[in-house]
Amino acid sequence: MRRRLPTLQALQCFEAAARHQSFSRAAQELALTQGAVSRQVAGLEGMLGVKLFRRTQHGMALTPAGADYARQVRLRLEALERDTVDLMARRGQGDSVTLATVPTFATRWLIPRLPRLAARHPQLLVHLETRTRPFLFLDSGLEAALWAGTPAQLRQWAGTRATRLLDEEVLPVCSPRLLPHGQPVPPQELVGLPLLQQSTRPDAWRRWFEAQGVEAPHAMAGPRYELFSMQAAAAIAGLGVALMPTLLVQQELARGELVVACAAPLRGERAYYLVQPDGPEREALARLRAWLVEECAAAARSPPG
């Protein structure tokens, strides 16, 4: 059946005009005349039966329908460009997986282990992008995600299935300068110290104090950081105590940049998962998933550091 699709040139002209809010600047970018861009957009509007732009006192602006369509077109063009560059880079050999991951887990745990994946599957390329929250796979061009969360949060990520990889254990850490003689203190003594907060886990400290049976009215107070790597850097700088997953601060603890503030680790409901859309699984992703399961099992048996 013949597909009802606009031409690629029409979509490129529309996307550039939408991004610049100008036919002339879109024409400059695409090395076309302004008239050619205008005709392509007009033809696209005629095919769709929808006005994508409206005239204003200062030129032109997207209609609500045009703004929504521009966002979708941009995502598809970017995905097509990624696929094209990927195919050119591989020259038709091997396969690849585009994987989203939380940043600190990628830099501290995943990337140092990727040489072992390359040794086992030399034709498999893994492209990494960062995401800190759930997203729509359909709109992203991503095939899977390494994500940390609870089973309840995972159930809210519609249209996906997940493989549990690693359970998470968190531990209070800080610069040795913050502690008497650089030694761990009882849980109640942390109440009076500045607490560094993780913006994606606003109740983490409250849960930790509750598990220790300690009342901490200001457990949710303190500066917030989106990434664990930022939180670790703030702790090293002496800004406060960070509640960190132990697998993400092994190097800092080994170097003495951070010390255990209180020897009371907490294993909660959170874990690291490989999340992927429901549906058929490509062989490349299946190989990556099998390798991750094996690596995580080995890490659980012999924690690093």
Side-chain angles (χ1 to χ4, degrees):
M1 185 177 68
R2 183 178 179 181
R3 297 181 184 274
R4 293 181 56 81
L5 292 174
T7 66
L8 183 59
Q9 186 175 37
L11 293 176
Q12 287 179 301
C13 288
F14 166 64
E15 189 278 330
R19 182 161 28 86
H20 291 294
Q21 298 283 286
S22 166
F23 286 161
S24 61
R25 288 199 292 271
Q28 291 173 4
E29 176 183 313
L30 299 173
L32 298 171
T33 65
Q34 179 177 341
V37 171
S38 178
R39 287 191 294 273
Q40 288 290 335
V41 172
L44 180 60
E45 289 179 323
M47 174 192 170
L48 298 173
V50 175
K51 294 297 293 182
L52 301 172
F53 290 96
R54 59 182 176 81
R55 293 290 179 182
T56 69
Q57 290 182 341
H58 305 289
M60 51 180 279
L62 286 164
T63 64
D68 182 62
Y69 191 51
R71 181 178 64 85
Q72 299 294 336
V73 168
R74 185 173 302 117
L75 289 169
R76 271 55 178 189
L77 290 177
E78 288 173 352
L80 181 59
E81 183 178 31
R82 282 196 303 269
D83 292 343
T84 302
V85 171
D86 185 35
L87 182 63
M88 292 170 63
R90 291 185 286 109
R91 297 183 179 273
Q93 303 298 314
D95 208 344
S96 67
V97 174
T98 304
L99 184 66
T101 177
V102 283
T104 310
F105 184 80
T107 56
R108 304 293 179 89
W109 192 92
L110 176 63
I111 292 175
R113 288 170 168 80
L114 286 180
R116 293 204 282 269
L117 176 65
R120 177 174 298 184
H121 301 294
Q123 299 301 317
L124 177 60
L125 297 179
V126 179
H127 305 304
L128 298 179
E129 296 188 15
T130 59
R131 295 287 192 281
T132 58
R133 293 176 173 83
F135 56 90
L136 293 176
F137 279 101
L138 182 63
D139 292 340
S140 69
L142 296 163
E143 296 179 73
L146 286 171
W147 178 79
T150 67
Q153 291 171 329
L154 191 61
R155 287 193 292 271
Q156 296 174 8
W157 198 341
T160 65
R161 66 180 189 269
T163 303
R164 192 173 182 124
L165 298 174
L166 280 172
D167 292 329
E168 185 181 81
E169 182 179 82
V170 296
L171 188 69
V173 297
C174 67
S175 167
R177 302 191 303 273
L178 284 186
L179 302 176
H181 312 295
Q183 298 299 311
V185 298
Q188 57 268 23
E189 292 195 25
L190 294 189
V191 175
L193 293 177
L195 303 178
L196 305 178
Q197 307 288 339
Q198 179 74 12
S199 60
T200 56
R201 306 183 184 188
D203 62 344
W205 272 114
R206 180 182 60 79
R207 289 176 177 271
W208 184 86
F209 279 115
E210 285 179 353
Q212 313 312 317
V214 174
E215 186 175 347
H218 303 296
M220 298 179 68
R224 300 190 179 279
Y225 302 89
E226 183 179 14
L227 305 180
F228 276 122
S229 56
M230 296 178 179
Q231 201 175 2
I236 291 171
L239 293 176
V241 186
L243 193 60
M244 295 284 295
T246 53
L247 64 88
L248 300 184
V249 288
Q250 294 295 324
Q251 296 178 10
E252 289 82 357
L253 290 170
R255 291 193 296 260
E257 297 170 337
L258 293 174
V259 296
V260 175
C262 178
L266 176 65
R267 175 171 290 186
E269 289 187 309
R270 285 184 177 273
Y272 287 89
Y273 296 87
L274 179 70
V275 184
Q276 59 194 98
D278 279 332
E281 180 182 58
R282 290 199 307 119
E283 182 181 349
L285 181 54
R287 291 199 299 267
L288 175 62
R289 181 168 55 80
W291 175 80
L292 282 168
V293 169
E294 183 179 315
E295 284 289 323
C296 290
R301 291 193 299 267
S302 303

